[in-house]
């Protein structure tokens, strides 16, 4: 009710004073309701941001409401589809889906923007992105999935991507004095490490996000769009080369060919002490050390190597974007909050606080003191995202890529299996509900 009552006061008062100001009251304050996901930012960071933002924006209050990832898609969709109400139907807005307390800014996963933008439910922020926020400098893996068509709806907030976590002591024992810089060097080093009861690398057979990076590094894609039609492209020569590299690397350890990296959790396998490397986000190191404190001083990090030494390899970039619902009744305030959270000052602050990658490569210096985050930031410059189509979720729900990987790793013909998997991807992307 807060914002609706304020609007009614303005209408009545405007006959005497003009909307926004009343005798002796000063500037009227408006509330920007922000939905952020649990653990995306620490409470200490949010408190500092809120205090500073409200001090520098005398007309705005920030109401941050923490959401759970479980079930968030349905909750966001409900909020986007619900028009703001005047309260006469008995709703008070406290559930975040009805009334005037619905969200003005929402944090969403970077690959989720397309499904919300498709229905015209997000505010187009293209102008602000190009004119004020330096869109051309954003990390591609965050910027690209924030688009729908040529318009920018999702504004990159933070990124995280995979690196190689390795055992420094096992590298020394194998005579490896520096992390590999190319994929061939990586294979050679891993082969040296895969001896004496140690696994050179623990790489599960269905770690398809890691495979995606290898495919992109070869110039291939999981799927491509042409004339408005999407089709799977795992059967392209480039994608097949990416799968072949995955097969060669995966063979230098004992990762299960019929499971992904969470079954069992690879951090737990690494912590048992007989694994030289895993491919994971740097934050996995905390789980490793918690289970095996003796490894605290032996963990190192390097970016996933590329085909040449001049740059890291391509990686899948996960992370979050900020969006503004088109049904907000506080557009200017919402845009101000997005601008502040994604701007250089608070974006670098968040990266240092939470060990994230900032949304621009030029801000990577802010985390250079953290070895794992620095390796992640270097790799993020080569970051990519899954195909930007609302139907991609259907592919992941019944993932043919995982089955394809297992079949190849157990000896099936790669070309035949890639064609089969590509056909299933195409069918999922072309699905039209009846």
């Amino acid at each position: 009710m807060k914002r609706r009552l304020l609007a009614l006061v303005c209408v009545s008062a405007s006959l005497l004073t003009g909307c926004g100001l009343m005798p002796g009251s000063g500037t009227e304050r408006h509330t920007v309701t922000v939905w952020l996901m649990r653990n995306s930012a620490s409470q200490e960071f949010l408190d500092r941001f809120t205090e500073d933002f409200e001090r520098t924006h005398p007309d705005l209050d920030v109401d941050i409401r923490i959401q759970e990832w479980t079930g968030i898609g349905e909750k966001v969709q409900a909020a986007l589809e619900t028009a703001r109400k005047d309260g006469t139907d008995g709703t008070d807005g406290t559930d975040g889906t009805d009334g005037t307390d619905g969200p003005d800014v929402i944090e969403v996963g970077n690959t989720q923007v397309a499904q919300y933008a498709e229905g015209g439910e997000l505010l187009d922020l293209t102008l602000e992105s190009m004119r004020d926020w330096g869109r051309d400098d954003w990390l591609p893996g965050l910027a690209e999935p924030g688009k729908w068509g040529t318009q920018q709806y999702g504004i990159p907030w933070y990124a995280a991507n995979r690196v190689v976590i390795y055992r420094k002591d096992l590298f020394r024992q194998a005579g490896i004095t520096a992390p590999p810089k190319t994929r061939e060097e990586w294979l050679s080093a891993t082969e040296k490490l895969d001896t004496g009861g140690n696994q050179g690398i623990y790489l599960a057979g269905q770690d398809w996000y890691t495979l995606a990076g290898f495919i992109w590094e070869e110039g291939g894609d999981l799927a491509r769009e042409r004339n408005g039609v999407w089709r799977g492209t795992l059967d392209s020569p480039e994608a097949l080369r990416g799968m072949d590299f995955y097969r060669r690397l995966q063979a230098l350890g004992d990762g299960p060919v019929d499971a992904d990296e969470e079954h069992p959790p690879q951090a737990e396998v690494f912590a048992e002490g007989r694994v030289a490397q895993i491919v994971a986000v740097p934050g996995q190191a905390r789980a490793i050390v918690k289970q095996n404190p003796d490894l605290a001083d032996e963990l190192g990090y390097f970016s996933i190597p590329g085909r040449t030494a001049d740059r890291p390899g391509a990686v899948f970039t996960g992370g979050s974007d900020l969006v503004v619902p088109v049904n907000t009744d506080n557009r200017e305030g919402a845009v101000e909050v997005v601008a502040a959270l994604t701007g250089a000052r608070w974006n670098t602050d968040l990266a240092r606080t939470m060990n994230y990658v900032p949304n621009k490569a030029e801000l990577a210096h802010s985390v250079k003191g953290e070895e794992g985050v620095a390796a992640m930031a270097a790799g993020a410059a080569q970051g990519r995202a899954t195909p930007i189509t609302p139907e991609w979720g259907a592919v992941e729900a019944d993932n043919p890529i995982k089955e394809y990987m297992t079949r190849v790793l157990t000896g099936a013909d790669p070309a035949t299996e890639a064609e089969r998997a590509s056909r299933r991807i195409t069918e999922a992307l072309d699905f039209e509900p009846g």
Side-chain angles (χ1 to χ4, degrees):
M1 294 293 295
K2 182 178 177 181
R3 281 181 268 182
R4 177 58 62 183
L5 290 174
L6 179 59
L8 292 175
V9 169
C10 283
V11 170
S12 300
S14 62
L15 295 175
L16 298 174
T17 65
C19 186
L21 295 175
M22 296 185 66
S25 68
T27 302
E28 294 289 351
R29 298 186 69 86
H30 301 267
T31 297
V32 183
T33 301
V34 183
W35 282 9
L36 299 180
M37 303 308 300
R38 186 170 302 282
N39 298 325
S40 285
S42 68
Q43 189 59 52
E44 185 269 341
F45 171 88
L46 297 177
D47 290 343
R48 285 190 292 108
F49 170 78
T50 300
E51 180 181 1
D52 183 83
F53 184 88
E54 292 180 349
R55 178 180 58 81
T56 56
H57 296 77
D59 59 335
L60 295 175
D61 291 321
V62 180
D63 179 13
I64 296 177
R65 302 187 178 189
I66 302 301
Q67 310 295 317
E68 302 291 342
W69 281 110
T70 302
I72 190 59
E74 293 80 3
K75 189 171 184 179
V76 169
Q77 197 63 56
L80 296 176
E81 293 174 354
T82 302
R84 298 296 170 85
K85 303 188 186 302
D86 60 10
T88 58
D89 61 351
T91 62
D92 62 5
T94 56
D95 65 352
T97 57
D98 284 317
T100 57
D101 283 342
D104 300 298
V105 178
I106 308 174
E107 175 193 351
V108 299
N110 63 321
T111 61
Q112 298 172 338
V113 176
Q115 70 187 73
Y116 300 133
E118 183 187 30
E121 295 159 346
L122 299 182
L123 197 64
D124 182 357
L125 298 172
T126 307
L127 177 61
E128 291 86 351
S129 299
M130 299 178 66
R131 182 189 62 197
D132 305 321
W133 299 340
R135 183 174 76 169
D136 291 343
D137 298 324
W138 288 336
L139 296 175
L142 286 180
E144 291 172 4
K147 292 181 182 178
W148 178 243
T150 60
Q151 308 305 108
Q152 193 78 41
Y153 295 94
I155 309 305
W157 191 24
Y158 67 83
N161 52 265
R162 288 160 175 77
V163 301
V164 181
I165 303 177
Y166 73 99
R167 287 272 301 273
K168 294 179 180 179
D169 55 336
L170 296 184
F171 268 54
R172 288 193 300 269
Q173 292 171 22
I176 303 169
T177 59
K181 294 293 187 181
T182 69
R183 299 207 314 189
E184 289 304 316
E185 290 178 3
W186 192 17
L187 283 173
S188 178
T190 304
E191 188 173 5
K192 291 180 181 178
L193 293 160
D194 191 40
T195 185
N198 293 327
Q199 297 184 55
I201 189 169
Y202 179 87
L203 184 60
Q206 295 183 348
D207 187 351
W208 71 275
Y209 282 123
T210 295
L211 170 64
F214 297 165
I215 290 174
W216 292 325
E217 181 68 9
E218 292 287 350
D221 276 304
L222 305 177
R224 283 182 176 168
E225 182 267 338
R226 184 176 181 182
N227 297 325
V229 177
W230 284 90
R231 67 171 298 270
T233 53
L234 293 177
D235 53 343
S236 71
E238 297 85 358
L240 286 169
R241 288 199 299 269
M243 182 64 221
D244 185 62
F245 179 79
Y246 191 100
R247 178 189 59 78
R248 295 166 64 195
L249 186 65
Q250 198 272 341
L252 298 174
D254 298 326
V257 297
D258 58 351
D260 63 25
E261 65 275 19
E262 290 302 322
H263 299 89
Q266 61 177 347
E268 294 182 6
V269 179
F270 189 95
E272 292 173 0
R274 306 296 289 180
V275 174
Q277 306 171 91
I278 58 171
V279 178
V281 295
Q284 289 278 303
R286 287 191 292 270
I288 294 168
V289 173
K290 182 178 181 180
Q291 184 170 331
N292 188 345
D294 291 341
L295 295 180
D297 296 327
E298 297 296 349
L299 298 183
Y301 312 83
F302 59 88
S303 302
I304 293 176
R307 289 183 298 168
T308 59
D310 59 332
R311 63 173 179 78
V315 290
F316 169 75
T317 301
S320 286
D321 285 12
L322 300 180
V323 300
V324 177
V326 75
N327 64 9
T328 179
D329 58 3
N330 193 355
R331 182 190 189 282
E332 291 185 4
V335 169
E336 286 294 319
V337 168
V338 171
L341 281 172
T342 63
R345 176 189 174 187
W346 289 105
N347 199 244
T348 54
D349 191 320
L350 180 70
R352 287 193 295 266
T353 300
M354 302 299 295
N355 288 340
Y356 291 146
V357 176
N359 59 13
K360 295 180 179 179
E362 66 191 48
L363 302 177
H365 64 85
S366 66
V367 293
K368 65 181 180 180
E370 296 290 337
E371 183 183 357
V373 182
M376 187 167 60
Q382 313 303 323
R384 297 279 298 274
T386 51
I388 304 170
T389 168
E391 284 72 35
W392 184 255
V395 176
E396 294 192 23
D398 184 25
N399 200 324
I401 305 174
K402 289 186 173 183
E403 181 181 340
Y404 157 63
M405 297 172 72
T406 295
R407 288 179 178 271
V408 173
L409 294 176
T410 52
D413 177 63
T416 300
E417 298 304 329
E419 185 177 355
R420 188 202 313 271
S422 295
R423 186 164 57 248
R424 287 181 56 192
I425 291 173
T426 299
E427 291 169 355
L429 295 180
D430 284 348
F431 175 74
E432 295 184 6

